[in-house]
Every structure is written in C-alpha cells, then in structure tokens.
Amino acid sequence: MLFSILAICWGTSFVAIEIGLEYVPPLLFAGLRYGVAGLIVFGYAAVVTDRLRPVDRTEWLSVGVAGLFLIAFYHALLYVGELYVPGAIAATVASTAPILTAAFAGAILPRERLSSAGVVGLVLGLIGVVAVVRPSPAGLDTELLLGAGLVFGAAIAFAVGTVLARPLDAGLPLETLQAWAMLVGAAVLLVGAPLRGESVAAIDVTPTALLSFTYLTLVSSVFAFLLYFQLLDRSGPTQVALVGYAEPAVAIGVSWVLLGYVVDSLTILGLVTILAGFAVIKRRRLARVLERRPEMLRRPTAVIRTLRNPTETRRSSPAEARTDGGVPRDTEAVSPESSAD
C-alpha cells in the first residue's frame, strides 16, 4: 500500500510540474518549491533528531553534493526540459537514473567496476531512451530532442551526485541532511533564475498555479519524503528503487486523464526496456528481495515510528537520502554486481 502511495506522489509530480510551468518560470518554480519544503523538513528534523547542522568538512561536503547535484542541477534540467516535453515522457527518461548511477559508480569508484551484465543493463537503458525520444517520425522534432536531452542530463546529474556522495559517509541524521540539501539547492536555483532571465513578475498567480505548487511542495516533497524513509526501513533500498519504474506509469495515466495526452506504443516499449536494464544490473539483489518477501510481509507496519520515537536519530551517508520528487534514491545502485557472469 505504501509503495503505491509513494509511486502516486512522485509519478504525479511530473504532471504537476508540467501544469505549473504554464504559470511559473522553471528555476523560480523549483527554487521556491524546495525553499518551502526545506524549511518544513528542517522543522521536522528539529523534532526527531539531535543535530540540526553539519559540524565538519565531510558533512558540509555531503550537504553541498546533495544540494548541488540532487536538488539544484537535477531539478533545473528537469524543469527546463519539461518546457519542451510532456511530464509522461520526462518521467520515463528520468527513470534511467539508477542505471546511470551504476555505470558512473563502475567508472569512478575503484572497487565498483561494472560487470558484463551491468554493461548489458546500461545498453538496454540507453535503447529505452532512444525509443522514448523517437516514438514516431514526429520524435525527430527539435523541441522533443532538446527536452528529452535536458531530462536525460538531469538523470546524469542525479547519478553523478549519488556516486560522489557515496565515499563521504557523513554522520548527519537523514532528516537534517535532507533539509540542508533542499535549502542549499533552493538557494542555487533562485540565484540561477535571474541569470536565465527569469523574473518574479513573470509568475502568474492563479488557482491552478497555487494548487500545483502546494501539491509539489507538501505532497511530492514533504509527505513523500516521510513515506520514503518508512519504506526504506521496512523493505530496503532495492525494493524501494522499483518505485522509480512505477512513476512513469503513473505519470502516463495521469497525463491521459488530466491533459488528454496519450503516449506512443514505443514510449511504453522504452519504459519496459529501461526497467529490463535495471533488472539485469540488480538481478541478484532483486532475487534476494523476492526470497525475503514472505518475511517482510510479516513485519509490523511502522508508518509513524519515528514520530512516536523522536529521540531516535537515524544516521547515514548522503547516498541513502532521497532528495528529489522524481527519481527514487537507490543506495545499492552505486554498488553494482562486481562479479563477472
């Protein structure tokens, strides 16, 4: 049940962004969203953790990497990309982030080389993107290529940030790290907005714009953040990462219901191919998840555990923090299977 709710929260965010961009310039939109969300999460962190600020160089680096790559760069490219492509297409292209994370980890981290199966998974992911970008002869349009390219760049930024965060292993509570990352990312986005020529005067304050902003801030950012960590505690990162492949399906359905947008059959094929690439890379961990499934079903639900126990401080590295409303953070995505097939 929680898995489905989380997929809905994040899948609908792509459509909410598409709708909101009709009224708010992209960088201002993203910056204001994460500024407000960061303040709310910061208040939550004050209740459930014992530390509200980084204390050493490693922790500040963790915040910087998460804020720059996982909030600012990712969302800048995603929001600008959605000026040119529908939310359903953006969600599908962005779902390559876990595959790209494994690829960059294999290239950057000495002990995490990509196996032959990992290479196959990466190729499948890229083939899936090509199918999405060119679902028909109209897919050769410049705007579609530009938008899909920007969203793919967002997935790259997210993957690079995940890999760079892995060796830092900061001791910050996850809630504190999340709050600071949101605030740092929001500051970068708001500084970048006027450099792109965006102005507050260009914001068209309408009921639709307010609804989109409120939904993205409170539901897709704050509420989904709390759900994510409950699922992470309950099911583990590999299973939670599968939410990322339910998001495009949700976005496709919501786009059809609200906007009348119907994706091409090749887009569906592209999504399935990307999912197949992820399954190839994570095949052993997915098998272990299936083996543990009966045990996990017997565990008691802990939806408000941290709220009932505010003295418990969860610590982790930045690579374990979910810091966006689109693509799921898979901590194991930066640890591809290293043994050769």
Side-chain angles (χ1 to χ4, degrees):
M1 182 63 176
L2 297 183
F3 182 98
S4 300
I5 295 173
L6 187 60
I8 291 171
C9 290
W10 282 336
T12 52
S13 68
F14 290 91
V15 182
I17 291 169
E18 179 183 356
I19 293 171
L21 286 172
E22 295 288 334
Y23 308 96
V24 187
L27 299 192
L28 280 175
F29 194 6
L32 291 172
R33 168 191 174 184
Y34 278 101
V36 174
L39 291 175
I40 295 173
V41 174
F42 194 83
Y44 175 74
V47 174
V48 301
T49 72
D50 59 357
R51 270 209 301 135
L52 288 179
R53 61 181 295 272
V55 296
D56 58 29
R57 180 173 176 271
T58 298
E59 291 183 354
W60 280 111
L61 279 174
S62 300
V63 167
V65 168
L68 285 175
F69 286 91
L70 307 176
I71 298 293
F73 296 161
Y74 173 81
H75 288 90
L77 291 167
L78 173 65
Y79 276 59
V80 176
E82 285 208 42
L83 292 174
Y84 306 101
V85 296
I89 298 296
T92 305
V93 174
S95 68
T96 57
I99 296 174
L100 294 171
T101 301
F104 282 114
I108 296 174
L109 301 180
R111 295 182 296 178
E112 298 186 2
R113 67 181 181 86
L114 200 63
S115 68
S116 56
V119 174
V120 171
L122 174 62
V123 171
L124 285 173
L126 296 177
I127 291 174
V129 171
V130 171
V132 172
V133 173
R134 301 188 178 187
S136 68
L140 296 174
D141 292 347
T142 302
E143 284 198 355
L144 180 58
L145 290 173
L146 174 60
L150 288 168
V151 177
F152 190 66
I156 291 174
F158 191 87
V160 171
T162 303
V163 174
L164 292 179
R166 177 65 180 274
L168 295 177
D169 192 23
L172 272 177
L174 289 176
E175 294 84 356
T176 303
L177 173 61
Q178 179 84 8
W180 277 98
M182 285 180 170
L183 293 174
V184 169
V188 173
L189 288 163
L190 293 175
V191 169
L195 298 179
R196 189 179 172 272
E198 297 180 12
S199 168
V200 174
I203 298 176
D204 186 8
V205 181
T206 67
T208 302
L210 291 174
L211 180 61
S212 171
F213 178 81
T214 302
Y215 182 85
L216 286 167
T217 302
L218 299 182
V219 178
S220 297
S221 297
V222 177
F223 176 69
F225 154 78
L226 298 176
L227 270 186
Y228 172 77
F229 284 114
Q230 296 301 332
L231 277 174
L232 188 65
D233 289 341
R234 184 178 177 185
S235 303
T238 298
Q239 188 170 357
V240 176
L242 293 175
V243 173
Y245 297 97
E247 290 173 28
V250 171
I252 288 169
V254 174
S255 291
W256 175 64
V257 172
L258 295 183
L259 306 177
Y261 179 78
V262 180
V263 300
D264 190 277
S265 58
L266 278 180
T267 299
I268 304 297
L269 177 62
L271 174 59
V272 173
T273 306
I274 293 169
L275 175 57
F278 174 81
V280 169
I281 291 176
K282 311 298 291 185
R283 64 199 183 283
R284 293 190 179 94
R285 291 195 175 97
L286 288 172
R288 290 198 291 270
V289 167
L290 293 175
E291 291 173 357
R292 296 198 306 266
R293 184 64 180 169
E295 175 188 346
M296 289 188 292
L297 288 174
R298 291 194 295 269
R299 294 179 186 174
T301 303
V303 178
I304 57 173
R305 188 187 69 184
T306 54
L307 292 176
R308 295 201 307 264
N309 186 15
T311 60
E312 176 185 355
T313 301
R314 299 202 320 271
R315 299 178 182 273
S316 180
S317 70
E320 291 179 302
R322 166 72 187 205
T323 55
D324 71 287
V327 182
R329 293 299 307 274
D330 177 9
T331 62
E332 295 179 1
V334 295
S335 300
E337 306 294 348
S338 60
S339 59
D341 294 331

